[in-house]
Amino acid sequence: MEETRAKLIRAARKAFAEKGYAAASMDDLTAEAGLTRGALYHNFGDKKGLLRAVVDEIDAEMAEGARAARDRAKTLWLGLIEEGVSYIEMALEPEIQRIVLLDGPAVLGDPSRWPGQNACLRTTMATIQALIEEGTVRPVDVEAAARLINGAALNAALWVAASDNPPAVLAKAIEAFRLLASGLLREPG
């Protein structure tokens, strides 16, 4: 069963990236995977369920990439910033752009409610709490700050993906993200 799911996800990921969700037919998806429509229905319910599985897989990869950027940073503060910047930069990747940032929200709804975003929120909350405890960030409601930081990164990525000139918008989005986040820093005293 896992092999069947993996084949369908792999075929859908390719088709959704190349053609977009609307243009990818279920017959093409199942033929590419060497399976039947019944296998798709059994494993995912419908095409939308298959998109959700593909988005979940890519979203997990995005979270791992953002965590890796955070872990390479010299300080916890820089890690928080680099995690957000990394997420925004991923909006230039065609597969992420089309599947996660354009088709995903159009079909699956608000990305801030996706399960992967909730996991990222918990991670950001833990980071902000640690930054408060070490004195880098001002005392602030941890959940509010984490939601705003994550929301800024998500909305910046959505803006980049939907723009007519993603590289130009990326530079503006990253600059603004860095400035917004810096408002959390404790003033030297």
Side-chain angles (χ1 to χ4, degrees), residues 44-135:
F44 301 102
D46 58 12
K47 185 177 168 186
K48 184 176 176 179
L50 181 56
L51 176 63
R52 184 176 314 283
V54 170
V55 166
D56 287 347
E57 182 176 275
I58 297 171
D59 197 42
E61 293 168 7
M62 292 172 70
E64 183 55 39
R67 274 192 297 275
R70 178 195 67 207
D71 293 345
R72 286 190 300 270
K74 292 184 186 332
T75 68
L76 189 57
W77 170 254
L78 292 175
L80 176 70
I81 299 305
E82 289 311 308
E83 187 173 21
V85 167
S86 172
Y87 188 88
I88 298 166
E89 289 173 337
M90 288 180 210
L92 293 181
E93 295 179 29
E95 180 185 53
I96 290 171
Q97 191 176 84
R98 178 166 237 173
I99 297 172
V100 177
L101 299 172
L102 297 174
D103 287 346
V107 176
L108 303 174
D110 182 2
S112 70
R113 297 184 179 270
W114 296 351
Q117 293 297 321
N118 291 325
C120 288
L121 177 64
R122 287 189 300 277
T123 300
T124 304
M125 287 173 64
T127 301
I128 290 173
Q129 182 63 50
L131 287 164
I132 291 169
E133 290 170 6
E134 75 177 25

Side-chain angles (χ1 to χ4, degrees), residues 5 9-11 29 35 50 53 58 60 63 65 70 89 104 114 138 144 150:
R5 284 180 63 84
I9 289 171
R10 200 169 30 254
L29 295 172
L35 299 165
L50 181 56
I58 297 171
R70 178 195 67 207
E89 289 173 337
W114 296 351
R138 311 169 194 231
N150 285 9

